[in-house]
């Protein structure tokens, strides 16, 4: 039918849609396993595989030379993760002490974390090695549909339309989806484009909001509400406080979050460390979720409710325990310009800002059981660091898969996948549709879906399924060692 | 990656069987053997220290030092399974349910001391039981060097040897 409408159809065995780090992990893995460039196409509007991540990190106050919250041993440019980022940096800086520090973490030192620039530069190198650019079709994938003969059609809206028209159609046996999040979270009642003045004053940490810091510098004594107690809020506080110290902004900070940790909480065998108001965890997920006993425990759970409960606990809103962060906040408390506000985000209203009152009124609902009344904070700016919106319906392509394609969802409203991360309800003849990242959260196999290690885990699981199908050769010990050595020499896979 | 209990045991056994065996084969002739003073390698009567009496003749024909180091290695593997259970229990009191590499490295101290007594108990080593005696240097150098090599392999090279190891909590099978 598609052909009869006169579209030019290109056959590619494996199409990866997204083009961010989830796609990169997948494509890199398959290239390393021996799949040639011609067998894969990446559909992405992004210039580089880390473009999206870079803008999110930049916006959330982690510029190129700052360190990201990720360990040494899981690197985006290597399916093995060894030698790690830390070892590479130690060699580059000819600093053997760094190796000692790595060996002693996290007992005698805080965890090593790589600089964002190292992440980008090494990904550039690996992208060149696997000829990433030769696989890329610059554009937006609009629709994925089953083909009667098995496999899928992928309709692409190219960034620069070719002679064949404004739409390209790919025909693939396998499709992999890794689209990232479609939207960020805002305070309830946020009007967005309908109230441009409010949109300027109430921003999300992952969106560009440099203007907020500039305005604060221009208007000393501004009041800012920061929402969320994860590490992105710490980076925002860090920036606000650094500007306070360097430019005398005299900014007053209200920090809104759910629960105050004055110490560790929980029973002896499930006690999360905490203090200073925050809950401490070195990475986004508890370490044992990266393949360890928590990963096993999760895999053995029987119901969605149990899984969501454990997931929420292990991916809790926590920050790495860093002296520089805690001492800043202690100083703010002591000097009276940092206030902890416990509660839930109510709604947002614009105000006129006259008579020294704020420009934004943020309603804060009390926590259940405290019996307190609703509070209204009048502030000048709201910086929302309470995370992202994982609703996959915000992606029209994914919504279409659910509404018209018949893709089944799990208890968390994300795609129901099997152990190889195939959306089995979308199975089509000898073709398979795989997914990774946020759109598969709540699956019964893996917790850290949005982590470097998690993206590689999915790639490994997919590669094993493809090997079963006879599509790619399995990376057993011999082939793994040989492929690793080729990568060490930066030779083409 | 983080280990599961099964992964830790499998990894320990695998590395002792590979890195441990190869390293022991290489290093044994260079160890300061106490038997050198009392007649030299291979001169010690066979019945004196055999745990595994039913082993083939070829094994008994190995120089005494080799038999001692390999038997020590074997006991280290067996005891190691018990140790891993202990560590796993202790790990339950850590929120992250992980076991930092430094803990693994320093574990050679209690494990080594316990092993010293066990090799005497099993007559693998027949010298003095005292921690500082003629056989200590040979034992300590052998165990420490093997331990460090295995520890280094666990820090990274294992990921290259087996991708499964990286993704499934250190499990190989």
């Amino acid at each position: 039918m598609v052909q009869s409408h006169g579209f030019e159809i290109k056959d590619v065995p494996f199409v990866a849609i997204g083009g961010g780090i989830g796609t990169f992990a997948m494509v890199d893995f398959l290239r390393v396993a021996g799949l040639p460039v011609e067998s894969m196409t990446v559909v992405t509007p992004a210039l580089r595989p880390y473009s999206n991540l870079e803008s999110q990190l930049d916006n959330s106050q982690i510029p190129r030379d700052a360190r990201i919250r990720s360990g040494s041993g899981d690197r985006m440019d290597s399916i093995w993760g060894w030698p790690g980022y830390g070892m590479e940096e130690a060699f580059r800086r000819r600093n053997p002490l760094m190796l000692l520090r790595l060996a002693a973490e996290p007992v005698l030192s805080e965890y090593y974390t790589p600089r964002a620039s190292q992440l980008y530069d090494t990904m550039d190198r690996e992208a060149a090695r696997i000829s990433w650019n030769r696989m890329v079709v610059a554009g937006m994938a609009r629709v994925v549909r089953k083909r009667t003969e098995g496999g899928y059609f992928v309709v692409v809206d190219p960034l620069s339309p070719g002679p064949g028209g404004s739409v390209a159609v790919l025909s693939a046996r396998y499709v992999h989806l890794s689209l990232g999040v479609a939207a960020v979270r805002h305070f309830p009642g946020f009007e967005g484009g309908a109230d441009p003045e409010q949109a300027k004053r109430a921003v999300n940490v992952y969106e560009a909001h440099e203007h907020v810091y500039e305005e604060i510098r221009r208007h000393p004594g501004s009041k800012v509400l920061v929402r969320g107690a994860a590490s992105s809020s710490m980076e925002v506080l860090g920036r606000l406080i650094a500007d306070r110290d360097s430019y005398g902004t005299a900014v007053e900070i209200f920090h809104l979050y759910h629960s105050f940790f004055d110490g560790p909480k929980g029973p002896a065998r499930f006690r999360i460390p905490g203090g200073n108001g925050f809950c401490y965890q070195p990475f986004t997920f508890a370490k044992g979720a990266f393949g360890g006993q928590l990963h096993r425990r999760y895999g053995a759970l029987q119901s969605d409710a149990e899984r969501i409960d454990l997931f929420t606990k292990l991916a809790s809103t926590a920050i790495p325990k860093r002296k520089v962060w805690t001492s800043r906040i202690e100083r703010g408390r002591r000097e009276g310009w940092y206030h902890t506000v416990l509660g839930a985000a109510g709604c947002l209203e614009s105000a006129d800002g006259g008579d020294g009152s704020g420009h934004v009124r943020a309603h804060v609902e009390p926590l259940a059981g405290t019996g307190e009344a609703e509070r209204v904070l009048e502030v000048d700016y709201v910086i929302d660091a309470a995370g992202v919106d994982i609703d996959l319906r915000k992606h029209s392509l994914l919504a279409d898969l659910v509404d018209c394609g018949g893709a089944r969802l799990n208890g968390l409203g994300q795609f129901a996948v099997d152990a190889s991360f195939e959306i089995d309800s979308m199975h089509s003849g000898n073709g398979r549709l795989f997914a990774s990242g946020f759109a598969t959260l709540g699956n019964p196999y893996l917790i850290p879906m949005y982590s470097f290690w998690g993206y590689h885990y999915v790639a490994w699981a997919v590669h094993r399924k493809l090997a079963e199908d006879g599509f790619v050769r399995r990376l057993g010990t011999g082939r793994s060692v040989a492929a690793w050595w080729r990568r060490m020499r930066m030779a083409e896979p | 990656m983080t280990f599961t209990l099964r992964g830790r045991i499998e990894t320990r056994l695998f590395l002792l069987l590979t890195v441990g065996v190869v390293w022991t084969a290489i290093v044994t002739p260079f160890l300061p053997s106490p038997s050198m003073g009392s007649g030299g390698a291979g001169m010690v009567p066979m019945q004196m220290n055999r745990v595994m009496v039913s082993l083939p003749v070829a094994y008994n024909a190995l120089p005494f030092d080799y038999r001692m180091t390999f038997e020590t290695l074997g006991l280290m593997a067996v005891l190691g399974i018990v140790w891993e259970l202990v560590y796993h229990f202790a790990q339950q009191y850590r929120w992250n349910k992980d076991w930092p590499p430094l803990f693994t490295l320093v574990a050679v101290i209690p494990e080594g001391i316990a092993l010293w007594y066990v090799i005497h108990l099993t007559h693998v080593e027949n010298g003095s039981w005292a921690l500082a005696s003629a056989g200590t240097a040979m034992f300590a150098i052998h165990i420490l060097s093997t331990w460090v090599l295995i520890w280094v392999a666990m820090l990274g090279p294992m990921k290259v040897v087996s991708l499964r190891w990286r993704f499934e909590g250190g499990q190989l099978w």
Side-chain angles (χ1 to χ4, degrees):
Chain A
M1 192 192 89
V2 178
Q3 229 148 1
S4 66
H5 279 70
F7 291 120
E8 198 185 320
I9 301 174
K10 195 182 161 211
D11 270 303
V12 194
F14 192 104
V15 171
I17 302 174
I21 54 172
T23 304
F24 188 78
M26 185 72 249
V27 169
D28 189 31
F29 208 110
L30 294 181
R31 286 284 286 126
V32 168
L35 217 57
V37 170
E38 296 72 31
S39 297
M40 279 189 283
T41 291
V42 177
V43 183
T44 176
L47 201 57
R48 294 179 207 288
Y50 53 80
S51 295
N52 194 27
L53 179 68
E54 184 177 15
S55 83
Q56 287 180 3
L57 286 174
D58 260 342
N59 291 334
S60 61
Q61 306 305 309
I62 303 178
R64 274 188 73 86
D65 58 351
R67 293 186 182 272
I68 62 173
R69 187 194 187 186
S70 190
S72 171
D74 294 303
R75 45 188 303 162
M76 277 316 300
D77 64 320
S78 161
I79 68 165
W80 302 274
W82 186 77
Y85 287 126
M87 201 163 153
E88 188 186 76
E89 192 178 334
F91 274 92
R92 202 181 52 235
R93 290 165 53 178
R94 296 204 175 81
N95 185 352
L97 283 177
M98 274 188 69
L99 292 178
L100 285 182
R101 192 195 137 177
L102 279 170
E105 72 178 17
V107 186
L108 302 181
S109 64
E110 288 172 10
Y111 269 108
Y112 166 88
T113 53
R115 283 183 208 281
S117 57
Q118 190 179 6
L119 165 71
Y120 308 146
D121 295 346
T122 52
M123 273 178 83
D124 273 337
R125 231 169 46 197
E126 180 70 359
R129 186 178 84 95
I130 63 167
S131 309
W132 171 264
N133 286 341
R134 280 175 54 207
M135 293 179 275
V136 166
V137 166
M140 296 289 284
R142 294 296 180 198
V143 180
V144 174
R145 283 293 158 80
K146 284 185 196 173
R147 213 170 47 169
T148 16
E149 310 83 7
Y152 309 87
F153 284 122
V154 179
V155 179
V156 180
D157 206 347
L159 288 188
S160 47
S166 60
V167 168
V169 179
L170 301 171
S171 169
R173 177 175 175 191
Y174 300 107
V175 174
H176 175 251
L177 301 167
S178 191
L179 299 185
V181 289
V184 291
R185 236 153 144 202
H186 279 285
F187 243 74
F190 174 73
E191 307 239 17
D195 184 348
E197 178 60 22
Q198 190 193 62
K200 260 195 334 207
R201 291 183 176 273
V203 296
N204 182 284
V205 64
Y206 294 116
E207 295 173 323
H209 64 281
E210 187 60 28
H211 64 275
V212 170
Y213 304 107
E214 283 165 11
E215 286 296 313
I216 290 171
R217 269 156 63 179
R218 232 171 279 144
H219 303 281
S222 293
K223 291 176 180 167
V224 185
L225 174 65
V226 178
R227 176 187 174 206
S231 55
S232 54
S233 68
M234 289 296 131
E235 304 284 3
V236 168
L237 293 179
R239 171 68 189 272
L240 289 171
I241 297 171
D243 282 1
R244 188 177 211 284
D245 295 342
S246 333
Y247 304 106
T249 59
V251 68
E252 192 170 355
I253 301 165
F254 297 86
H255 193 181
L256 170 66
Y257 57 94
H258 287 278
S259 41
F260 192 88
F261 279 72
D262 40 15
K265 270 186 194 172
R269 289 178 174 213
F270 207 70
R271 179 174 296 160
I272 185 156
N276 256 312
F278 303 100
C279 157
Y280 297 128
Q281 185 167 288
F283 302 109
T284 312
F285 304 92
K287 266 284 223 173
F290 295 90
Q293 69 169 97
L294 296 171
H295 171 65
R296 294 276 146 201
R297 189 194 292 188
Y298 183 78
L301 295 177
Q302 293 303 318
S303 75
D304 277 332
E306 288 174 303
R307 280 190 280 269
I308 292 169
D309 178 57
L310 185 62
F311 175 88
T312 318
K313 284 173 179 150
L314 301 181
S316 51
T317 306
I319 59 168
K321 191 175 182 180
R322 290 186 188 159
K323 270 193 207 115
V324 35
W325 286 356
T326 45
S327 67
R328 258 183 217 148
I329 284 171
E330 271 170 26
R331 178 160 65 93
R333 284 201 180 110
R334 213 171 40 238
E335 295 174 5
W337 44 261
Y338 171 88
H339 316 277
T340 303
V341 182
L342 294 180
C347 75
L348 212 59
E349 284 175 320
S350 295
D352 60 3
D355 304 330
S357 69
H359 293 81
V360 182
R361 262 198 294 273
H363 293 254
V364 175
E365 289 167 6
L367 297 169
T370 54
E372 287 169 18
E374 187 192 80
R375 271 180 79 176
V376 179
L377 290 172
E378 300 220 344
V379 293
D380 300 299
Y381 301 96
V382 174
I383 302 178
D384 215 311
V388 290
D389 185 346
I390 60 166
D391 181 10
L392 55 77
R393 288 183 166 277
K394 297 265 160 70
H395 282 292
S396 58
L397 184 150
L398 302 187
D400 173 78
L401 277 179
V402 179
D403 297 336
C404 307
R408 275 192 312 112
L409 300 181
N410 65 22
L412 209 63
Q414 311 296 318
F415 288 126
V417 291
D418 69 6
S420 61
F421 297 89
E422 178 187 353
I423 306 173
D424 41 9
S425 49
M426 285 297 292
H427 196 78
S428 169
N430 69 350
R432 300 177 193 279
L433 177 61
F434 299 101
S436 58
F438 291 94
T440 52
L441 278 177
N443 72 74
Y445 311 100
L446 195 66
I447 298 173
M449 295 310 298
Y450 45 98
S451 69
F452 292 178
W453 181 87
Y455 290 122
H456 277 137
Y457 184 99
V458 172
W460 174 69
V462 170
H463 130 271
R464 289 201 305 173
K465 180 53 87 178
L466 298 184
E468 264 175 44
D469 286 355
F471 180 69
V472 68
R473 285 176 68 189
R474 208 173 69 82
L475 274 174
T477 297
R479 302 190 65 244
S480 170
V481 173
W484 177 81
W485 183 239
R486 269 195 300 281
R487 185 186 169 277
M488 291 306 285
R489 292 184 290 119
M490 285 321 271
E492 229 188 299
Chain B
M1 63 84 61
T2 317
F3 287 98
T4 57
L5 173 62
R6 194 177 131 190
R8 285 160 72 141
I9 293 173
E10 286 184 10
T11 304
R12 182 190 280 251
L13 295 180
F14 173 79
L15 286 173
L16 279 171
L17 214 66
T18 51
V19 176
V21 164
V22 171
W23 175 245
T24 299
I26 295 171
V27 80
T28 299
F30 305 100
L31 294 172
S33 167
S35 59
M36 296 302 261
S38 61
M43 296 300 287
V44 179
M46 209 174 282
Q47 67 277 14
M48 187 174 139
N49 60 347
R50 297 283 45 94
V51 195
M52 303 168 224
V53 275
S54 60
L55 282 168
V57 182
Y59 177 78
N60 280 327
L62 275 175
F64 171 71
D65 286 353
Y66 268 116
R67 281 180 274 151
M68 194 168 96
T69 49
F70 276 120
E71 282 167 18
T72 304
L73 203 65
L75 285 172
M76 192 171 160
V78 176
L79 279 185
I81 297 174
V82 181
W83 280 108
E84 291 299 359
L85 293 172
V86 174
Y87 303 148
H88 185 73
F89 175 76
Q91 180 179 294
Q92 302 315 306
Y93 294 90
R94 292 175 58 79
W95 164 252
N96 277 289
K97 305 284 182 278
D98 65 336
W99 201 246
L102 188 67
F103 288 3
T104 306
L105 183 66
V106 298
V108 71
I109 298 167
E111 288 200 29
I113 293 172
L115 186 61
W116 173 254
Y117 290 115
V118 171
I119 60 173
H120 283 83
L121 209 65
T122 51
H123 299 291
V124 166
E125 152 86 49
N126 285 313
S128 162
W129 285 62
L131 281 177
S133 63
T136 314
M138 175 175 180
F139 171 81
I141 295 172
H142 174 225
I143 294 305
L144 265 175
S145 58
T146 308
W147 190 267
V148 168
L149 281 177
I150 287 178
W151 180 74
V152 168
M154 273 172 54
L155 283 184
M158 276 304 289
K159 294 179 179 175
V160 179
V161 173
S162 164
L163 285 159
R164 180 184 165 73
W165 186 86
R166 180 181 176 209
F167 295 117
E168 292 296 346
Q171 286 172 213
L172 289 153
W173 298 286

